[in-house]
Amino acid sequence: RSVQGYNLSCIMILPPKQREGYGKLLIEFSYLLSKKEGMPGSPEKPLSDFGLLSYRSYWRRAIYEILLNVSQKTNCAVSIDAISKKTGMTVDDIISTLQTDGMLQRQPGVSNYALVVDAKRIEGYVEKAREKNPRRIDPSKLRWAPFLTKGAAVLEQPKGDDELSAGELSV
């Protein structure tokens, strides 16, 4: 891990294998390692145009899968921090994605934002993404221990979807 918190510096997919989902698979792997470390990560910036498209697509799918899961529960709320712990993404990347998609709206008279979710839109996007790119990494198959230095703190991993039930943003 870099000092700046980058979980990935560069992805190179050879031309014959481009547009087959390997870039997103490597992105997913980098976030799986971030989750395993218990520290959110982000790609090295600035991103190229294609890099931003690939990452934004990955971020959107990861966030939408969580929102879809939460929206199917009754009276459930989720926080940006909970999404970060569940995905391994930084809060900044999550907020950037939600703002780009027009899903964060300022609440009148208060300093909080509300997450406005169109469940059908999210469900449609997730289904389409799963069809288009079915390659996924099975986290249970990862056998890796993070390299820890003296004084390094590892955040507690969420135990499951139960951690997503308390938070600031209503879905």
Side-chain angles (χ1 to χ4, degrees), residues 21-131:
Y22 291 108
K24 286 191 187 121
L25 193 70
L26 291 173
I27 292 170
E28 181 180 21
F29 184 64
S30 73
Y31 282 106
L32 180 59
L33 293 177
S34 290
K35 285 193 294 187
K36 188 82 167 172
E37 285 181 325
M39 297 180 68
S42 187
E44 185 174 357
K45 306 216 177 47
L47 290 169
S48 68
D49 291 342
F50 289 126
L52 181 59
L53 284 173
S54 294
Y55 268 95
R56 188 93 4 101
S57 175
Y58 173 79
W59 293 333
R60 186 173 288 123
R61 179 178 177 175
I63 293 167
Y64 282 17
E65 284 176 339
I66 290 170
L67 294 177
L68 185 61
N69 184 30
V70 171
S71 72
Q72 293 169 346
K73 297 177 182 177
T74 308
N75 288 337
C76 197
V78 65
S79 71
I80 299 291
D81 287 333
I83 294 172
S84 176
K85 286 177 184 166
K86 187 76 175 161
T87 62
M89 295 189 286
T90 63
V91 168
D92 289 340
D93 292 336
I94 294 166
I95 290 172
S96 167
T97 302
L98 293 172
Q99 283 177 330
T100 298
D101 291 353
M103 297 175 88
L104 284 181
Q105 294 181 357
R106 189 184 261 304
Q107 297 288 28
V110 293
S111 62
N112 293 342
Y113 284 83
L115 180 59
V116 179
V117 175
D118 179 351
K120 294 231 183 264
R121 174 182 165 205
I122 288 176
E123 189 174 345
Y125 182 88
V126 169
E127 284 177 24
K128 195 173 174 184
R130 287 177 179 162
E131 288 171 12

Side-chain angles (χ1 to χ4, degrees), residues 3 6 18 20 23 26 77 81 98-99 137 154-155 161:
V3 176
Y6 299 142
Q18 290 177 354
E20 291 185 19
L26 291 173
D81 287 333
L98 293 172
Q99 283 177 330
I137 295 174
V154 176
L155 302 175
D161 290 337

